[in-house]
Amino acid sequence: MRKFDLDMENFNFPPLFLDDLNDEPGFDLQNFVDAHLSEPAPTSIRINPFKQSELKTDSQVPWCNQGFYLKERPSFTFDPLFHAGAYYVQEASSMFIGHILNTIRPNKNDAIKVLDLCAAPGGKTTLLNSALNSSDLLVANEIIKTRVPILSDNLNRWGTSNTIVTNNDPKDFNAIHSFFDVVLVDAPCSGSGMFRKDPAAMNEWSEGNVNLCHQRQERILAAIYPALKEDGYLIYSTCSYSHQENEDILDWLCTEFGLETVRIPIYKEWGIVETESPLKKAWGYRFYPGKVKGEGLFAACLRKKESSGGLSNYKNNGQQKLPAKEMDIVKSYINNAESFYFFKVNDDWLAISREHKESLNILHRHLYIKKSGVRIGKLAGNDLIPDHELAVSLIINKDAVLSTELTKAQAIQYLRRDNIDLETTGKGWSLMTYEGLALGWAKLLPNRINNYYPKEIRIMSQQLD
């Protein structure tokens, strides 16, 4: 017989789940169940600090300056500001990762390299990106190939040029020992922290799956460990409540690799439960619905205390020789062009902050890169055929292009790739903007407007949030 016999009505927790959870630090059964039965999952967004807008928000997420709760969930799909990258829809608890990064990096003068190992769809990636300077490098990796496009799209919307997207297995990073200052492993897990937001996830939960996830997490962490620098930081998180995937992993990391625990400051009113692992007393942070205004999360930070050696067998093959005339055309579209390194992939011109050139070459030698910096476009004679990435980026020289401001109705037409009800006297390529933020490109012709919003990310009429 189960220890707890509660009236769940339409909310059936898996067998033995609550029995196991009752032994976890800070767990309050009645509070937890009430939160799942009577409190809807809160809606929260995180503002893009690089793209100013007039968003209407409500109360702030306590541990994230750019995070805000909304009183009700709007139709994000049909909000042009969402597509312009003004904000990201992110679960509030997961924003704590940004608080960890800010804690371990009080001084931002020294540039760092950060890896988000399990990055798709991009919530924590854009969160990290918001806390970094342009001189910092962020590598976002996703092992599952089909999930890479949404990760790249979300980073494109965020607009920064200091990002690289890779599609690799964690073991592939073994080739770049001691490369990263910070590694985030938001590990694949059994997902119990998402039960309120996604009740269907309860059908996938089992004690056997928890154990399989624990083994997978150990493999991932062991594979990525050499890529972290000495005195670098490992941020580990799951959306699971199970100690096997959380505190037990911390004990394993401290035992296997001698990692040092890092305590993260929190306030009592935040409702976060601070825990210690049984053997090594490593600090961890648990988020329970009912205690926090958010979903289930576990997070921890550890510091590496040994060296894994340096890069091996790296040879710089030199810089591409690019035609000066073409380079001048491309540079005219870029703000502060001299601070960027320009290169070509097939016929496409790209740009990344100049200080990341060597890192890009190293990563290109060892990893499968899907996106690097900002894709500017192709040249046709003396004309640039601009790429969508350039339109939504922060590096575009807006004085070099036309700009057409749209109403909300016109912006929706544009995002659907419909014909736009708009009279214009301009001619040529134009940024299509909404409330001053770029959505993409259109080509203005005497009798019509050619809509160049990418087909693969257009709004479909049947889409629902």
Side-chain angles (χ1 to χ4, degrees):
M1 178 181 290
R2 290 180 58 188
K3 189 184 299 182
F4 305 108
D5 184 17
L6 299 166
D7 181 13
M8 302 300 174
E9 296 184 357
N10 296 322
F11 215 100
N12 273 324
F13 289 103
L16 303 179
F17 171 72
L18 291 179
D19 287 351
D20 291 345
L21 190 53
N22 194 56
D23 296 326
E24 301 298 349
F27 179 68
D28 182 325
L29 173 67
Q30 194 62 55
N31 179 274
F32 182 83
V33 171
D34 287 347
H36 283 73
L37 291 178
S38 60
E39 297 179 16
T43 299
S44 51
I45 63 172
R46 182 170 39 77
I47 304 298
N48 186 341
F50 310 118
K51 294 188 174 183
Q52 300 301 315
S53 62
E54 299 298 325
L55 282 168
K56 295 180 180 179
T57 57
D58 298 308
S59 57
Q60 186 175 335
V61 175
W63 42 87
C64 181
N65 290 337
Q66 292 140 5
F68 294 90
Y69 298 102
L70 303 182
K71 290 181 180 178
E72 56 185 24
R73 186 180 181 88
S75 176
F76 295 117
T77 298
F78 293 96
D79 181 5
L81 290 177
F82 168 75
H83 297 276
Y87 63 91
Y88 190 95
V89 185
Q90 185 174 22
E91 195 281 309
S93 296
S94 63
M95 298 181 197
F96 186 71
I97 301 302
H99 175 65
I100 294 179
L101 180 60
N102 288 327
T103 297
I104 61 179
R105 196 196 180 191
N107 184 351
K108 294 190 176 184
N109 291 331
D110 296 329
I112 61 173
K113 301 181 186 73
V114 179
L115 170 65
D116 185 354
L117 184 66
C118 312
K124 294 182 179 69
T125 311
T126 55
L127 174 71
L128 294 171
N129 201 196
S130 295
L132 299 178
N133 300 323
S134 61
S135 57
D136 301 319
L137 178 66
L138 175 61
V139 178
N141 180 72
E142 175 53 46
I143 185 174
I144 301 173
K145 188 175 182 179
T146 55
R147 288 166 58 89
V148 172
I150 189 171
L151 171 61
S152 296
D153 289 341
N154 283 323
L155 274 173
N156 289 340
R157 290 190 187 103
W158 219 242
T160 58
S161 59
N162 61 339
T163 59
I164 294 173
V165 174
T166 58
N167 175 211
N168 286 82
D169 188 274
K171 68 178 184 295
D172 297 336
F173 287 84
N174 257 290
I176 50 173
H177 285 197
S178 303
F179 188 79
F180 295 102
D181 300 276
V182 179
V183 172
L184 166 64
V185 179
D186 183 37
C189 67
S190 58
S192 51
M194 293 292 107
F195 282 178
R196 179 171 64 170
K197 191 174 181 180
D198 180 18
M202 291 187 289
N203 298 326
E204 305 296 325
W205 189 93
S206 69
E207 291 182 316
N209 190 36
V210 168
N211 291 327
L212 286 174
C213 288
H214 171 93
Q215 295 168 19
R216 183 188 301 123
Q217 290 150 3
E218 286 188 351
R219 287 197 300 270
I220 290 171
L221 290 163
I224 200 59
Y225 176 78
L228 183 62
K229 288 180 180 178
E230 182 179 4
D231 290 324
Y233 294 93
L234 171 67
I235 301 173
Y236 176 75
S237 65
T238 72
C239 56
S240 168
Y241 301 114
S242 301
H243 69 271
Q244 296 98 318
E245 301 175 77
N246 297 325
E247 286 87 355
D248 286 1
I249 290 290
L250 300 188
D251 274 338
W252 177 80
L253 285 167
C254 294
T255 301
E256 188 76 11
F257 301 109
L259 288 165
E260 175 184 88
T261 184
V262 178
R263 193 174 190 180
I264 304 300
I266 58 174
Y267 293 94
K268 183 178 180 181
E269 56 266 29
W270 289 0
I272 301 168
V273 175
E274 185 178 58
T275 74
E276 290 182 275
S277 63
L279 299 178
K280 297 295 185 177
K281 304 302 179 185
W283 298 105
Y285 300 89
R286 285 177 166 265
F287 291 66
Y288 294 109
K291 292 198 171 191
V292 301
K293 193 175 179 181
E295 303 311 307
L297 177 81
F298 177 86
C301 182
L302 304 108
R303 191 172 187 177
K304 184 174 180 177
K305 300 305 294 178
E306 64 176 6
S307 173
S308 294
L311 291 170
S312 59
N313 300 322
Y314 171 64
K315 180 181 177 182
N316 191 336
N317 294 322
Q319 184 173 343
Q320 288 180 329
K321 294 188 182 301
L322 302 171
K325 183 178 179 181
E326 293 185 12
M327 177 80 80
D328 289 340
I329 295 171
V330 171
K331 283 185 174 181
S332 69
Y333 286 85
I334 307 300
N335 263 330
N336 194 20
E338 297 308 316
S339 66
F340 290 93
Y341 164 57
F342 295 87
F343 59 102
K344 289 182 72 175
V345 176
N346 299 321
D347 291 331
D348 286 313
W349 284 79
L350 296 92
I352 195 167
S353 299
R354 185 169 293 279
E355 55 262 56
H356 304 316
K357 174 187 172 183
E358 182 181 351
S359 294
L360 174 61
N361 288 333
I362 292 171
L363 295 171
H364 184 265
R365 181 173 177 83
H366 296 291
L367 301 174
Y368 184 35
I369 292 180
K370 301 293 288 184
K371 166 183 163 58
S372 46
V374 174
R375 191 175 298 269
I376 300 168
K378 298 179 173 68
L379 284 176
N382 292 328
D383 297 321
L384 179 73
I385 302 173
D387 194 90
H388 179 71
E389 287 189 32
L390 177 63
V392 293
S393 77
L394 302 172
I395 72 172
I396 187 171
N397 177 10
K398 292 187 177 180
D399 293 334
V401 297
L402 293 173
S403 183
T404 304
E405 179 71 7
L406 304 175
T407 65
K408 185 172 184 179
Q410 290 167 341
I412 296 299
Q413 289 175 332
Y414 174 74
L415 293 167
R416 282 176 161 167
R417 280 181 63 96
D418 292 343
N419 294 326
I420 307 170
D421 299 327
L422 177 68
E423 292 185 6
T424 178
T425 57
K427 184 179 178 182
W429 290 103
S430 176
L431 277 179
M432 309 306 279
T433 64
Y434 176 73
E435 295 190 6
L437 295 180
L439 299 171
W441 296 105
K443 198 164 190 180
L444 310 184
L445 302 172
N447 301 318
R448 67 181 188 277
I449 298 173
N450 286 351
N451 190 334
Y452 280 87
Y453 194 72
K455 292 180 181 179
E456 60 272 17
I457 59 172
R458 71 189 186 278
I459 294 176
M460 307 296 288
S461 297
Q462 67 271 26
Q463 275 184 295
L464 296 174
D465 279 307

